[in-house]
Amino acid sequence: MEGPTPVSALIHAATMVTAGVFLIIRFSPVLEFSTFTLFLLTVFGSLTAFFASLTGTFQNDLKKIIAYSTCSQLGYMVFACGLSHYNVSLFHLANHAFFKALLFLAAGSVIHAIADEQDLRRMGSFLSTLPLTYVAILIGSLALTGFPFLTGFYSKDLILEITQVYRLKNVVYFGSLACVLGNLAVFLTAFYSFRLLFFCFLNSPNTNRQIFKGMAESPF
């Protein structure tokens, strides 16, 4: 589903995409009676977190990378529900809404500055012309990757700690799967986030010279 970046920021951050996770949390008293349902949530959530981050690694569209990261983070929320930690899932949902909205709006600032171009391979060296946008995407990316003392760290690290506890104690046999795939997704998330930053802001310029000279920062 495609749309303008403010719409993407709203949909991917808070309203429609995360509605399913919120519904699972609301149904938590019912789900706790079914071990098989919790098993399915954990397996499909951890697989989603891994495969979405793997897919995001190979994308070249600026918005698609951020969209696949949303899919990956939804996987974290779902398998946290599968491990019966609904409060942690809701905490990550709320944190994710803030940094994902920031990333989409900052991506919109980049796209608007270079005549609606979204291909990372046609960007580069925007740091000097779009410093405020760079800072916004850097903060959002660090929060997404779980950098210490930013919002993503407190919820994402907590989810991974929960999977580690389940793996060590062998409370549920599918806790190990969530632990392994969740940690692999962390490394892939860090890779595609800094790949986006590099190709967009630090790489040598691949933009049309006239567009590059006419670039300007978005109004404050």
Side-chain angles (χ1 to χ4, degrees):
M1 180 171 50
E2 295 184 5
T5 43
V7 177
S8 299
L10 180 64
I11 288 174
H12 283 259
T15 51
M16 198 169 72
V17 176
T18 54
V21 178
F22 184 71
L23 188 65
I24 291 171
I25 294 167
R26 293 288 293 189
F27 268 89
S28 57
V30 180
L31 295 176
E32 283 300 302
F33 287 103
S34 174
T35 309
F36 181 69
T37 307
L38 295 177
F39 165 73
L40 286 179
L41 286 174
T42 307
V43 169
F44 283 105
S46 52
L47 285 172
T48 301
F50 173 69
F51 281 113
S53 58
L54 187 64
T55 308
T57 305
F58 296 99
Q59 296 301 314
N60 293 310
D61 189 295
L62 182 63
K63 284 180 68 180
K64 278 186 180 179
I65 293 172
I66 304 172
Y68 275 111
S69 80
T70 301
C71 194
S72 180
Q73 299 309 303
L74 288 173
Y76 280 99
M77 298 172 206
V78 170
F79 80 67
C81 291
L83 297 173
S84 300
H85 286 79
Y86 304 98
N87 54 342
V88 178
S89 178
L90 185 63
F91 182 39
H92 190 53
L93 190 153
N95 285 348
H96 170 261
F98 287 100
F99 61 73
K100 191 50 59 72
L102 174 66
L103 279 170
F104 265 113
L105 292 172
S109 176
V110 173
I111 293 165
H112 180 68
I114 56 168
D116 299 332
E117 180 61 65
Q118 293 184 205
D119 195 332
L120 275 180
R121 294 167 294 187
R122 297 182 182 176
M123 300 180 187
S125 194
F126 293 168
L127 179 57
S128 56
T129 50
L130 305 173
L132 185 62
T133 304
Y134 170 72
V135 170
I137 290 187
L138 179 63
I139 293 169
S141 297
L142 288 175
L144 173 63
T145 54
F147 191 79
F149 310 114
L150 292 173
T151 53
F153 169 75
Y154 293 103
S155 52
K156 199 171 181 179
D157 185 64
L158 188 55
I159 292 172
L160 292 173
E161 283 181 17
I162 289 164
T163 62
Q164 188 73 12
V165 169
Y166 273 75
R167 187 183 70 83
L168 292 174
K169 290 185 177 179
N170 290 320
V171 180
V172 282
Y173 62 92
F174 45 85
S176 298
L177 178 72
C179 181
V180 171
L181 292 179
N183 280 289
L184 284 173
V186 167
F187 288 108
L188 290 171
T189 302
F191 176 77
Y192 68 66
S193 295
F194 291 109
R195 174 177 172 266
L196 185 152
L197 281 166
F198 175 76
F199 276 101
C200 190
F201 294 99
L202 306 174
N203 195 22
S204 55
N206 294 309
T207 317
N208 180 285
R209 185 174 294 179
Q210 295 301 320
I211 294 173
F212 189 79
K213 286 182 178 179
M215 283 176 60
E217 186 65 89
S218 300
F220 185 73

